[in-house]
Amino acid sequence: MLKLAVLVSGGGTNLQAVIDAIDAGKIRNACIDVVISNNANAYALTRAAEHGIDHMCISPKSYESRARFNDALTDVITSRGVDLVVLAGCLVILPPQLIAAYKNRIVNIHPSLIPAFCGKGFYGLKVHEEALKRGVKVTGATCHFVDEGTDTGPIILQKAVGVLPDDTPQTLQRRVMECAEWIILPLAIDLIANGCVTVADGVVKITEQQSETDGCC
Ligand code: GRF
């Protein structure tokens, strides 16, 4: 059974998608060990509490230095024996020692088709604003492993979402979440938990057939 730590900062709809997929048996052989937020007011913590999942706030603001925060967050994750760290709308910069210790064991969900609209400063609504400004006709979401860069790690799954003529950043964000993020994040966790994902030379290979990412919605 793969032990997950889910790191959040806000509403936690991606966390909810993971909880629901575990309950529905769509994620097999994985359980959420702990939900950690850098923001004490994140609704994601309420979602964890409502599901009886251990949860806590570890905020850089509560520590005298970034190094102390980095140690605290890394200690909690390693001491609990977490196997996979899931960044689900997590806006905090991860401790370098955590990234080193969890190579190809941290996944992130990003609301665009990487390498478009990603990297420093591309988070939240900004991603969708830029996609609309550029006039792309297709966008989507990417689930990827986390490395030392910003959105540069090996890509696990992507799902395309069409841009509609009257889309606003808000409507596009919602559709990308519903049609792509909430599908590929749980799917990636299931594939990892069941030994279907390998990484060689920075490229992910998936050994199980899956159709959920086909087409464009
Ligand atoms: C999502 O668009 C996710 O891709 C981004 O944060 C947004 C909100 O996520 N990283 P959530 O509702 O807190 O899961």
Side-chain angles (χ1 to χ4, degrees):
M1 182 71 75
L2 203 75
K3 280 171 85 168
L4 312 177
V6 184
L7 272 52
V8 297
S9 298
T13 60
N14 280 290
L15 166 67
Q16 190 67 53
V18 174
I19 292 170
D20 293 347
I22 289 173
D23 286 352
K26 289 184 181 172
I27 296 178
R28 302 154 295 160
N29 301 319
C31 63
I32 302 178
D33 183 62
V34 64
V35 171
I36 304 172
S37 174
N38 63 307
N39 164 15
N41 299 318
Y43 185 65
L45 289 175
T46 306
R47 294 182 194 267
E50 280 171 356
H51 285 80
I53 299 168
D54 272 5
H55 55 282
M56 59 186 74
C57 172
I58 303 180
S59 166
K61 290 181 197 150
S62 317
Y63 295 86
E64 64 193 27
S65 68
R66 192 71 191 194
R68 286 286 168 85
F69 162 76
N70 284 347
D71 289 346
L73 181 57
T74 305
D75 284 353
V76 167
I77 290 171
T78 54
S79 67
R80 296 181 73 110
V82 166
D83 300 300
L84 183 72
V85 177
V86 178
L87 308 185
C90 171
L91 296 178
V92 85
I93 295 173
L94 289 191
Q97 68 263 45
L98 182 66
I99 296 174
Y102 277 73
K103 187 172 161 65
N104 295 334
R105 292 198 297 151
I106 306 175
V107 298
N108 181 44
I109 183 75
H110 181 79
S112 75
L113 294 175
I114 291 174
F117 310 112
C118 66
K120 212 159 173 268
F122 282 92
Y123 62 89
L125 268 186
K126 175 82 176 163
V127 176
H128 306 290
E129 281 164 10
E130 293 300 319
L132 289 176
K133 251 192 238 167
R134 186 64 186 83
V136 295
K137 306 305 174 211
V138 176
T139 183
T142 302
C143 184
H144 64 92
F145 286 116
V146 171
D147 65 9
E148 301 72 22
T150 306
D151 303 327
T152 52
I155 292 170
I156 308 165
L157 293 173
Q158 292 187 300
K159 186 157 176 58
V161 175
V163 178
L164 302 178
D166 55 354
D167 261 331
T168 63
Q170 287 78 7
T171 61
L172 188 54
Q173 180 183 49
R174 181 73 195 178
R175 208 162 60 259
V176 168
M177 290 200 291
E178 279 179 3
C179 297
E181 295 179 42
W182 301 345
I183 294 165
I184 65 173
L185 180 62
L187 180 55
I189 295 168
D190 177 64
L191 291 169
I192 293 165
N194 292 285
C196 302
V197 175
T198 56
V199 190
D201 296 330
V203 174
V204 167
K205 280 205 167 61
I206 296 175
T207 54
E208 188 174 279
Q209 203 59 35
Q210 24 85 32
S211 56
E212 288 92 332
T213 54
D214 289 352
C216 179
C217 54

